[in-house]
Amino acid sequence: MALPSRPLVYARCSPLSNAHPSFSLFPPSPPLGRPCRSQEIAFGFGRHRKANLRLLADSRSCRSPGLMVLRSFAGHQAERGSCSESDEEEIEEEDVDHEKRVEDEESVASVAAERWDVLGLGQAMVDFSGMVHDEFLERLGLEKGTRKVVNHEERGRVLRAMDGCSYKAAAGGSLSNTLVALARLGSRFMSGPNLNVALAGSVGSDPLGGFYRAKLRRANVNFLSKPVKDGTTGTVIVLTTPDAQRTMLAYQGTSSTIDYDQYLASIVSKTNILIIEGYLFELPHTIKTIAKACEEARKNGALVAVTASDVSCIERCYDDFWEIIGNYTDIVFANSNEARAFCDYSSRESPIAAARYLSHFVPLVSVTDGPRGSFIGVKGEAIYIPPSPCIPVDTCGAGDAYASGILYGILRGASDLKGMGMLASRVAAVVVGQQGTRLRVQDACRLAESFAFHLESSNSLSDVSSDHISSL
């Protein structure tokens, strides 16, 4: 496949030194059909609020909304008690009222925002996560460490088997993890404005959809899409074993199609970075929406980033991925297996080789390799980023967290790729060392302060006119 390379990110490294290359967004002339990026970033956002909701702590309580939702999904009545009809109506009414309040808040926020620093286009899924043993996976015939798209019946079978366990519910989805971490980092910058972060996706008008919107809003991520009337919100069951491996079962729901309309076009035109979640490529007819959104973003001078999401997703949608990567993409986020899948490499090929190859087609490539570290590919070369030390608890969300560090560095004007990669590695290590996929507020504050010091130090030693990203 001969795909043209569109040079946007330029490595600057003396062949006689061991210095790590920095990069600049200053092409000598824009490629054919591509506008120059000279506009400045418009920042502005509200205060950050911490929200950690544990819906499923008591599996015996029939008044737990999360447990009621799970049991209705599984299609069975719990043996330890039953909920009355009035209880169910009360819970549903509270969720509907809460969703309406969230919609009112978000409509005000979206109107007030002149421009988004980052807009994500991705799957809006509610995560139900719990700890299980290997025997549990074997009993259900689940392959550890994989992701599988399931139907309603398969999901119900797993949920019935999990009845009585403790769960955590969260506004999940790979991309939302990245955006929440980015918003939390962005709200803790000591010498700059907050980052304006938003997500467009698809949720149903069911209580889970209201829960999803409310949780993102509390994390300072604006959810801009309206709920699908009579639609059901997608869910992901995340099963984590004691060795920190996670197995995921995704149910896409009936509200999983994203249409490109005038409203979506208007918000895409007002972003500095558009990031596309790879899982979207699995949805029917969504490739048209992705292509139109990328074209609109590029027309208005935005950077386009794509997350690989999953090897099986790449294999099923290989040509669609490359249509977007080859024609629109500036940044690719992938782990080592996903990077090899993009390159059609065997498992014997090294991740650094995949990073180098992909960087001939994409200006900036981020390839993570678990506890072995990561690589940033630029112009056919790759920079090694050593791993940050941590005791692994849950690897779910590590790559999502890493991507937030890269995006944060770009938006804050970092010119040192090594320093940016080290920040991303530290963010990922913090998430791996905890239970759950979300970067905590206090950790985000600490990481942002550390990066601010590094950024100030590196800028004072560099030639800003040639090595520093002054705008997007």
Side-chain angles (χ1 to χ4, degrees), residues 28 33 41 51 53 64 75 86 91 113 115 130 160 163 176 188 212 243 272 324 342 345 350 385 417 426 435 445:
I41 303 174
L53 183 63
S64 168
S86 60
I91 292 169
R115 194 164 183 86
R160 283 192 293 271
D163 191 29
S176 72
R188 298 289 164 176
Y212 186 93
D243 60 357
N272 294 313
I324 300 302
F342 275 136
Y345 282 175
S350 66
I385 308 297
L417 286 174
R426 291 181 61 196
Q435 180 65 42
C445 180

Side-chain angles (χ1 to χ4, degrees), residues 411-433:
L411 288 167
R412 290 311 190 195
S415 60
D416 175 23
L417 286 174
K418 185 77 171 184
M420 188 189 305
M422 289 302 299
L423 169 67
S425 178
R426 291 181 61 196
V427 176
V430 168
V431 171
V432 169

Side-chain angles (χ1 to χ4, degrees), residues 209-226:
F211 168 77
Y212 186 93
R213 295 163 64 86
K215 290 291 286 183
L216 277 194
R217 184 66 187 91
R218 290 173 184 173
N220 267 3
V221 176
N222 286 265
F223 189 78
L224 303 181
S225 302
K226 297 179 180 178

Side-chain angles (χ1 to χ4, degrees), residues 39-335:
Q39 70 274 17
E40 296 181 355
I41 303 174
F43 293 101
F45 205 59
R47 292 186 302 169
H48 183 84
R49 292 184 295 169
K50 183 178 179 181
N52 285 315
L53 183 63
R54 296 176 178 271
L55 288 181
L56 308 174
D58 182 7
S59 63
R60 296 176 183 270
S61 172
C62 69
R63 292 183 62 85
S64 168
L67 185 60
M68 289 181 62
V69 171
L70 274 176
R71 286 177 173 168
S72 65
F73 282 163
H76 73 293
Q77 293 294 330
E79 297 178 358
R80 297 186 178 92
S82 61
C83 298
S84 68
E85 185 176 340
S86 60
D87 288 340
E88 294 183 2
E89 290 177 354
E90 177 183 345
I91 292 169
E92 187 169 337
E93 287 174 0
E94 290 175 356
D95 281 331
V96 170
D97 290 341
H98 195 186
E99 181 180 350
K100 186 177 186 304
R101 290 196 299 271
V102 171
E103 286 181 12
D104 292 340
E105 290 180 5
E106 290 176 351
S107 63
V108 173
S110 61
V111 170
E114 295 180 0
R115 194 164 183 86
W116 303 106
D117 294 304
V118 175
L119 170 66
L121 187 62
Q123 279 190 310
M125 312 281 275
V126 174
D127 284 352
F128 293 106
S129 57
M131 298 293 295
V132 299
H133 291 283
D134 290 353
E135 294 77 13
F136 180 89
L137 301 179
E138 294 171 0
R139 188 168 69 250
L140 294 177
L142 301 175
E143 183 181 353
K144 185 169 70 172
T146 61
R147 176 184 178 272
K148 180 182 179 182
V149 178
V150 298
N151 57 29
H152 179 82
E153 289 74 20
E154 290 177 288
R155 180 179 63 173
R157 180 173 65 93
V158 176
L159 292 176
R160 283 192 293 271
M162 294 179 68
D163 191 29
C165 299
S166 60
Y167 308 89
K168 290 175 64 177
S174 173
L175 183 55
S176 72
N177 292 334
T178 297
L179 297 180
V180 168
L182 180 61
R184 289 180 172 174
L185 289 168
S187 65
R188 298 289 164 176
F189 194 68
M190 299 181 65
S191 60
N194 294 340
L195 295 180
N196 222 352
V197 182
L199 174 66
S202 182
V203 296
S205 55
D206 54 349
L208 277 183
F211 168 77
Y212 186 93
R213 295 163 64 86
K215 290 291 286 183
L216 277 194
R217 184 66 187 91
R218 290 173 184 173
N220 267 3
V221 176
N222 286 265
F223 189 78
L224 303 181
S225 302
K226 297 179 180 178
V228 177
K229 185 177 181 181
D230 299 325
T232 58
T233 304
T235 58
V236 177
I237 302 173
V238 183
L239 308 174
T240 304
T241 46
D243 60 357
Q245 291 281 339
R246 85 276 190 193
T247 304
M248 296 186 289
L249 306 172
Y251 173 70
Q252 295 177 343
T254 62
S255 56
S256 57
T257 300
I258 301 177
D259 296 321
Y260 189 81
D261 54 19
Q262 187 174 0
Y263 176 69
L264 182 57
S266 67
I267 59 177
V268 168
S269 67
K270 298 176 182 178
T271 185
N272 294 313
I273 298 179
L274 173 68
I275 179 168
I276 307 294
E277 183 178 19
Y279 290 128
L280 278 187
F281 287 82
E282 294 181 321
L283 304 183
H285 313 299
T286 309
I287 183 62
K288 296 179 181 178
T289 297
I290 295 173
K292 290 179 180 178
C294 291
E295 186 175 350
E296 182 69 25
R298 294 289 296 279
K299 184 175 69 175
N300 288 277
L303 295 174
V304 174
V306 171
T307 68
S309 295
D310 187 73
V311 171
S312 62
C313 180
I314 296 171
E315 291 173 347
R316 287 191 294 269
C317 311
Y318 187 84
D319 292 339
D320 289 340
F321 265 108
W322 269 107
E323 178 184 342
I324 300 302
I325 290 174
N327 292 307
Y328 305 105
T329 304
D330 301 296
I331 308 167
V332 165
F333 296 106
N335 64 29

